[in-house]
Amino acid sequence: MVRLLLVSVALLLVVAAVLRRDRGTDFDGYYEGGLAVLDGKSPYDADALERYPPAFAAAMAAFALLPYVVAIAVWSLVGVGLAAIAVEGAARIAGAEGPAMFDRRRWLPLLLASPYLVDGLLQAQSQILVLGAVVGAFWMARRGKEVHAGIAIGAAAALKLTPAIVVLYWLLRGRWRALAGVAIGAIVVGGVVPVAAYGPRGAAEAYGTWVGETEWSLRQRTPFALEKSSRYTNQSPRAAIVRLLTGIRNPSSSHAIQVNVARLRPDAALRVIAWVNGVLALVVLVALLRGRSPAIEAALVVLAMTLLSPIAWTPYFAALLVPYACLAGGRLETVSSRAAAWLTVAGSIGLASIWARAIGCVTWPSVLLLLALAWELARPGSRRS
């Protein structure tokens, strides 16, 4: 009965995503990029794909061969499947064994992260697919299938750059079998697929365009460029700092508000952002060098993947599944880490308020959780399992 209920909910989410097509979803841009590839045009003429590697648009060409309604239904089914892998993988990382449906390491993280998962599935967001690949990779690595785990990360990083942080983690740990798998996945998805779609010369040109677009996006030194990624649904530290320190309003909202406490110039704000990201990255690095706890390491890396990205729309915070599973499984030993985890739950409730979103109601609790997880991992006497 429980499985039937879960399947029914999954199908309802797929149907809802299909019915939302008139209101627009992220898949619209992906589909448009796929059509461009089929027509022999550059996928980067569509703004939706400007930060995606060429392999992503090449993969979307397969969906563009289908009628739109069928394509978004298939995409949504894949998303539901990978979301299920993320939920199960998080539970297994936290120590769950067997298929027990009512193990709290399954249902509690699913419940707490549901606002992000449902939002991502309804928006037909690609990050849910990336999360499934990343959490699934940690799960496979925990089972000793390191090459398979590496292939999943290599393929995911070829489609969207953020999973590359897992590659850095494996380099730090000396997981050479996993890194060999990364090379296989990256070569096949990042090399063979674009060449098959664009031809060798077209693939080289597409990668050149993508590198230029990515460099511009990271620099973003004009007020307009900063505004472009400062929407309230972007809960990255970068976007929250822009809203708080520059006075830029959400350009896409009919109820744009100002929450700034300062009016820094774009260059000054970018320096603050660089310092904040640098500190967070350093904290994660030191914790990983000092600690040995696979569950906490996975939670820390997956959360860092989200927070260090310049764009972190609310569905990206489905990454909290892994810390929530650690919470449910009793893996969080300190009061600070448990309190920070529950604080992120309160932040998800705050998403209902435009003021809370503007301030960063999910951003700052998640930053506190990252710091608490780092301390949990690095502190003397922490659990080594």
Side-chain angles (χ1 to χ4, degrees):
M1 180 63 73
V2 174
R3 292 183 180 181
L4 178 61
L5 177 62
L6 292 175
V7 170
S8 299
V9 171
L11 291 176
L12 283 174
L13 287 171
V14 172
V15 171
V18 173
L19 293 177
R20 279 178 60 92
R21 67 187 187 276
D22 293 334
R23 297 176 57 187
T25 67
D26 286 21
F27 184 78
D28 295 351
Y30 308 156
Y31 191 77
E32 183 181 342
L35 289 174
V37 173
L38 294 180
D39 292 339
K41 300 176 182 177
S42 171
Y44 297 107
D45 292 339
D47 289 344
L49 297 184
E50 62 185 3
R51 285 177 294 273
Y52 286 83
F56 186 87
M60 291 310 302
F63 286 89
L65 291 170
L66 303 171
Y68 177 86
V69 172
V70 177
I72 192 173
V74 172
W75 174 268
S76 299
L77 280 171
V78 172
V80 168
L82 284 168
I85 289 174
V87 173
E88 181 64 19
R92 297 297 181 122
I93 289 168
E97 296 181 0
M101 297 295 296
F102 293 104
D103 188 319
R104 67 180 180 180
R105 285 164 291 197
R106 290 185 175 89
W107 66 261
L108 183 59
L110 176 59
L111 176 65
L112 298 182
S114 59
Y116 310 113
L117 287 168
V118 172
D119 188 22
L121 291 170
L122 290 179
Q123 290 291 339
Q125 243 276 347
S126 63
Q127 190 66 15
I128 298 298
L129 282 69
V130 170
L131 179 66
V134 170
V135 177
F138 273 106
W139 180 17
M140 286 187 283
R142 190 175 177 87
R143 296 167 60 197
K145 298 183 177 181
E146 293 195 349
V147 175
H148 296 81
I151 291 172
I153 292 298
L159 296 173
K160 198 167 184 178
L161 202 54
T162 49
I165 192 172
V166 183
V167 180
L168 299 178
Y169 164 65
W170 282 337
L171 278 170
L172 190 66
R173 284 285 179 260
R175 308 289 284 271
W176 307 117
R177 288 172 59 82
L179 292 169
V182 169
I184 295 170
I187 289 170
V188 172
V189 178
V192 176
V193 171
V195 168
Y198 308 110
R201 182 175 179 179
E205 291 176 352
Y207 270 107
T209 302
W210 171 65
V211 169
E213 291 282 356
T214 302
E215 181 185 4
W216 177 88
S217 180
L218 290 175
R219 284 188 289 111
Q220 290 193 334
R221 295 189 178 277
T222 66
F224 171 77
L226 287 173
E227 285 181 6
K228 190 173 183 180
S229 61
S230 66
R231 285 185 288 169
Y232 304 141
T233 49
N234 185 359
Q235 289 289 303
S236 70
R238 182 187 192 283
I241 289 170
V242 168
R243 293 191 295 265
L244 289 169
L245 298 185
T246 67
I248 289 175
R249 302 186 184 201
N250 181 351
S252 65
S253 174
S254 58
H255 302 289
I257 59 174
Q258 284 184 291
V259 294
N260 59 298
V261 295
R263 284 187 174 273
L264 298 183
R265 296 189 318 176
D267 282 353
L270 287 167
R271 283 194 293 271
V272 173
I273 291 164
W275 274 100
V276 170
N277 284 341
V279 168
L280 293 179
L282 181 61
V283 166
V284 171
L285 177 62
V286 170
L288 292 174
L289 286 172
R290 288 179 57 86
R292 287 292 189 279
S293 175
I296 303 300
E297 289 174 21
L300 186 61
V301 171
V302 173
L303 189 55
M305 179 183 75
T306 300
L307 290 173
L308 293 176
S309 174
I311 304 291
W313 308 122
T314 48
Y316 286 36
F317 286 86
L320 289 165
L321 269 171
V322 185
Y324 289 158
C326 292
L327 173 68
R331 297 280 174 167
L332 303 186
E333 298 178 354
T334 63
V335 173
S336 61
S337 58
R338 292 194 294 269
W342 286 111
L343 192 58
T344 62
V345 177
S348 68
I349 298 171
L351 289 171
S353 165
I354 187 172
W355 287 93
R357 293 200 307 272
I359 293 169
C361 59
V362 177
T363 308
W364 306 118
S366 297
V367 169
L368 289 176
L369 178 57
L370 181 140
L371 297 175
L373 289 172
W375 170 245
E376 178 88 13
L377 186 62
R379 70 189 179 91
S382 64
R383 183 180 296 168
R384 300 294 192 265
S385 61

